[in-house]
Amino acid sequence: MPTRRVVTGRSREPRARFAEELRSLRLQRGDSLRQLGERLGWDWSLFGKMEKGETVGGPEVVQALDTYYGTPGLLLALWELAVSDKTQFRERYRRYMSLEAEATSLWHYAVSVLPGLLQTPGYARELLAAGGLKGEELDQQVDARMGRRELLAGDDAPPFRTILSEAVLRTQLRDAGRWRAQLEYLRDATERGEVTVQVLPFSAGLHGLSNADVMFLRLLDGRTVAYAENDVRGDLIEETAPVERLQLTYDFVRDLALSPAESRKFILRLLEEVPCDPST
């Protein structure tokens, strides 16, 4: 029986780690995906999707792979980590959403896309479609995102500040009409008393928030929590020390950003570059 390898030997995001191990074991055995499917009695395309990280499969197929490769328990352990990581992410995000709805004020920094609270339906649709959503699921997610904007509606809306990296505003939608509508919505948002928009120009250089979107929520009990998100995952941070460190970094970035008045002028200049009639 081969020596069982340590699960954390190549620590990475659990879902990617699981996919990497599947591919490595198959290549060591010298099987093609089709041969693997024939030998285990499953559609070979399932194994292809598992190795790409598109699905983690079920426990039965993972146990069969453990038996076939002579790695008793290794793949099942990695599978459990991949499944629990996804579940924990959803739980953390659900908790974040409930806290966001109760927040007395919100501060945000955006690396590459506009915050959901300021997106138009056209912007949200193109963004979500680029992430692979389509059909009914896409419609549902767009509707859900538009529902979030209600948080900033009404007389009792909490103060919301967002600092937008210049990259956010330089990344246009493919549809010029939708892009113009988004910029107009952002312009109008700067006129609302509860919304503050600042632009962080490229000239500001590197800084401590270059790789992650961050949202700070001030809660009714006086606590502040943070939600940091990158391309692969999001983390709800509730411990005081790391939240305070993030806040200090955010304050530094805010000092580098254009003032709200200068930021509004920046958005207006961008609007002038977009034709009123996209067909012209």
Side-chain angles (χ1 to χ4, degrees):
M1 180 181 297
T3 302
R4 178 170 174 173
R5 284 173 287 178
V6 179
V7 170
T8 56
R10 285 172 287 179
S11 69
R12 290 172 46 165
E13 187 272 331
R15 193 180 181 99
R17 173 72 176 85
F18 177 60
E20 179 190 70
E21 191 68 27
L22 290 175
R23 178 173 174 78
S24 176
L25 287 168
R26 179 177 60 79
L27 293 178
Q28 288 176 29
R29 180 61 69 94
D31 289 341
S32 68
L33 288 170
R34 193 176 296 276
Q35 288 172 330
L36 183 62
E38 291 173 351
R39 288 167 183 170
L40 293 186
W42 266 278
D43 186 337
W44 65 270
S45 65
L46 170 62
F47 298 116
K49 291 178 181 178
M50 292 171 71
E51 290 184 9
K52 291 178 182 177
E54 296 175 0
T55 181
V56 294
E60 297 85 4
V61 68
V62 176
Q63 287 176 330
L65 287 166
D66 256 337
T67 300
Y68 180 68
Y69 290 130
T71 54
L74 170 66
L75 292 179
L76 191 59
L78 290 174
W79 176 83
E80 289 172 351
L81 288 172
V83 172
S84 65
D85 183 73
K86 185 176 180 181
T87 301
Q88 289 169 11
F89 171 76
R90 288 177 175 172
E91 288 299 324
R92 285 195 300 269
Y93 189 68
R94 277 197 288 266
R95 174 162 170 73
Y96 162 75
M97 292 297 292
S98 66
L99 293 174
E100 182 186 80
E102 301 170 1
T104 59
S105 59
L106 308 91
W107 308 275
H108 176 263
Y109 172 73
V111 172
S112 57
V113 298
L114 286 165
L117 293 173
L118 294 179
Q119 291 179 14
T120 59
Y123 187 97
R125 180 169 295 277
E126 190 164 314
L127 178 64
L128 292 167
L133 295 183
K134 56 186 176 180
E136 183 178 352
E137 185 179 8
L138 175 59
D139 293 338
Q140 291 174 347
Q141 289 299 315
V142 171
D143 290 343
R145 186 156 297 186
M146 293 305 98
R148 288 186 62 198
R149 298 196 310 185
E150 295 300 314
L151 181 68
L152 301 182
D155 295 335
D156 58 347
F160 174 60
R161 176 188 297 273
T162 183
I163 303 173
L164 307 176
S165 166
E166 185 174 339
V168 175
L169 299 174
R170 294 295 183 186
T171 307
Q172 303 182 16
L173 297 179
R174 296 185 182 90
D175 186 300
R178 287 180 175 178
W179 179 235
R180 182 174 184 81
Q182 176 61 75
L183 289 177
E184 289 174 340
Y185 186 85
L186 189 59
R187 175 203 62 197
D188 295 343
T190 65
E191 300 174 352
R192 293 154 58 182
E194 77 281 3
V195 176
T196 302
V197 177
Q198 291 183 258
V199 176
L200 183 71
F202 289 138
S203 59
L206 293 174
H207 54 82
L209 296 180
S210 295
N211 297 318
D213 283 22
V214 181
M215 178 76 90
F216 296 95
L217 307 176
R218 182 74 170 177
L219 305 178
L220 289 170
D221 60 8
R223 291 185 303 127
T224 298
V225 301
Y227 187 79
E229 186 173 28
N230 57 30
D231 289 341
V232 296
R233 64 180 299 153
D235 285 301
L236 179 62
I237 306 168
E238 300 188 67
E239 297 83 0
T240 300
V243 170
E244 288 181 346
R245 287 196 297 270
L246 270 176
Q247 282 185 292
L248 288 174
T249 304
Y250 184 86
D251 289 343
F252 174 76
V253 171
R254 184 177 58 191
D255 291 342
L256 296 174
L258 301 178
S259 69
E262 292 170 331
S263 298
R264 176 177 168 80
K265 292 177 182 178
F266 188 97
I267 295 168
L268 292 174
R269 287 196 298 271
L270 289 179
L271 261 172
E272 292 175 355
E273 300 171 7
V274 183
C276 293
D277 182 1
S279 65
T280 61

